């Protein structure tokens, strides 16, 4: 049984409305016209996890700040009925930044009929980075792989995340610590040696902000590494990384560690 024509019109208007409210800055006041209160907004493909609830979506948009596109354009809307009260919607999105750069995504939505009309209940946003369906990992995906390798302390996973000729730099360091590691082997060897001797472990990372650059393969990340240390107990270690990828792997990483905080976590005197 097909959806009624009016339902298709209303669902299409719903998907289109998202871009208008976001671009005009009205998402704060009118998000309830788009989403169910218990909406799930999956942006794992951008390293931002899954957002739960309207407040989380608003906060994420604010955190991106000027990195938000100035224009969201939705095309190719395909609606598939599930039942009288729900449908799947597949569409494409084009985001245009203030500097003229653009990116393409796909939206996969589950929409449900509520007393006030159709609303988005779940949305998954997937970046399109390769032609003809080929998807190469972008910097946000690679960032997540790098974080997971550090959390699990896996030399194998860490080796996969870097190019053979990768460079990992520490602009802020101490005399007994390296300032530059060259090549995958040297990077992985240093990391595994540090894991064996360090009296601390990362449990997870908290993203404070991710900034795009004019190079689509480079991002600037403000983050905290959360974990436990024999010296300090639970800790939140702040740092900034400038990450550049090539063919889905890290080619260059500037790792701006807060050296005083890191020294405390390692149980060393500054």
């Amino acid at each position: 049984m097909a959806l009624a024509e009016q339902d298709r019109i209303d669902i299409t208007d719903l998907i289109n409305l998202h871009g208008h409210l976001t671009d005009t800055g009205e998402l704060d006041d009118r998000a309830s016209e788009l989403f169910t209160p218990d909406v799930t907004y999956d942006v794992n493909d951008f390293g931002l996890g899954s957002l739960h609830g309207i407040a989380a979506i608003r906060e994420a948009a604010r955190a991106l700040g000027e990195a938000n596109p100035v224009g969201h354009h939705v095309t190719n809307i395909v609606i598939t009925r599930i039942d009288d009260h729900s449908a799947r919607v597949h569409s494409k999105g084009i985001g245009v930044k203030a500097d003229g750069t653009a990116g393409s995504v796909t939206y996969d939505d589950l929409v449900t009929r509520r007393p006030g009309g159709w609303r988005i209940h779940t949305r998954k946003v997937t970046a399109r980075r390769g032609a003809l369906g080929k998807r190469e990992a972008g910097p946000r995906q690679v960032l997540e792989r790098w974080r997971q390798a550090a959390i699990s302390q896996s030399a194998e996973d860490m080796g996969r995340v870097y190019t053979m000729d990768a460079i990992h730099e520490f602009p802020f360091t101490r005399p007994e610590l390296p300032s530059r590691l060259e090549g995958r082997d040297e990077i992985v060897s240093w990391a595994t040696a540090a894991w064996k001797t360090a009296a601390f472990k990362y449990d997870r990372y908290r993203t404070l902000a991710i900034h795009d650059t004019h190079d689509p393969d480079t991002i600037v990340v403000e983050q905290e590494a959360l974990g436990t240390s024999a010296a300090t107990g639970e800790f939140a270690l702040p740092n900034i990384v400038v990450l550049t990828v090539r063919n889905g792997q890290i080619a260059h990483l500037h790792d701006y560690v807060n050296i005083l905080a890191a020294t405390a976590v390692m149980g060393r005197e500054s």
Side-chain angles (χ1 to χ4, degrees):
M1 182 178 177
L3 277 171
E5 181 179 357
Q6 188 60 52
D7 286 327
R8 287 189 171 275
I9 292 171
D10 292 344
I11 292 170
T12 299
D13 283 349
L14 170 69
I15 302 305
N16 286 326
L17 183 61
H18 173 262
H20 288 287
L21 296 187
T22 302
D23 295 343
T24 57
E26 297 179 85
L27 194 60
D28 273 3
D29 297 326
R30 299 179 60 187
S32 61
E33 296 178 35
L34 300 172
F35 305 113
T36 63
D38 56 346
V39 60
T40 296
Y41 204 99
D42 182 345
V43 280
N44 279 286
D45 206 28
F46 295 85
L48 300 175
S50 287
L51 310 174
H52 301 284
I54 291 174
I57 295 173
R58 289 189 185 120
E59 185 58 36
R62 292 193 197 103
L64 280 177
E66 294 301 316
N68 280 291
V70 297
H72 291 76
H73 305 279
V74 179
T75 67
N76 305 71
I77 298 173
V78 178
I79 304 169
T80 304
R81 177 185 180 274
I82 297 175
D83 54 38
D84 288 342
H85 299 283
S86 59
R88 296 279 181 191
V89 186
H90 187 68
S91 60
K92 293 181 177 295
I94 301 170
V96 182
K97 297 283 188 74
D99 62 4
T101 59
S104 179
V105 301
T106 58
Y107 296 118
D108 289 293
D109 301 330
L110 171 64
V111 299
T112 59
R113 191 199 305 271
R114 298 298 172 102
W118 290 93
R119 298 291 186 268
I120 298 170
H121 181 59
T122 64
R123 165 165 283 188
K124 179 178 176 63
V125 187
T126 305
R128 306 305 306 172
R129 300 188 177 97
L132 302 177
K134 182 180 179 182
R135 298 194 63 241
E136 210 166 66
R140 285 173 170 79
Q141 290 173 297
V142 175
L143 171 68
E144 287 306 307
R145 294 176 188 172
W146 177 68
R147 287 172 166 178
Q148 288 304 313
I151 292 169
S152 63
Q153 297 188 350
S154 169
E156 184 177 357
D157 290 345
M158 190 63 78
R160 290 196 188 103
V161 84
Y162 285 96
T163 63
M164 185 68 71
D165 59 347
I167 295 173
H168 190 134
E169 296 188 75
F170 299 95
F172 305 146
T173 188
R174 292 169 56 99
E176 71 273 17
L177 297 174
S179 61
R180 181 183 174 97
L181 302 169
E182 297 188 15
R184 176 192 295 157
D185 291 344
E186 184 176 7
I187 294 168
V188 174
S189 293
W190 180 84
T192 53
W195 294 334
K196 290 178 182 177
T197 59
F200 67 90
K201 190 176 187 304
Y202 297 150
D203 297 322
R204 63 187 179 91
Y205 284 82
R206 177 189 294 138
T207 300
L208 303 180
I210 298 180
H211 307 279
D212 291 312
T213 68
H214 290 291
D215 179 358
D217 292 325
T218 299
I219 56 174
V220 180
V221 184
E222 301 176 50
Q223 63 180 12
E224 291 177 332
L226 308 180
T228 54
S229 160
T232 63
E234 293 184 356
F235 65 82
L237 184 61
N239 84 310
I240 295 174
V241 298
V242 182
L243 182 150
T244 299
V245 302
R246 184 173 73 242
N247 298 326
Q249 294 176 299
I250 296 174
H252 203 141
L253 185 67
H254 291 87
D255 196 348
Y256 292 85
V257 178
N258 182 323
I259 196 64
L260 294 179
T263 298
V265 166
M266 290 186 289
R268 299 178 184 176
E269 294 184 2
S270 58

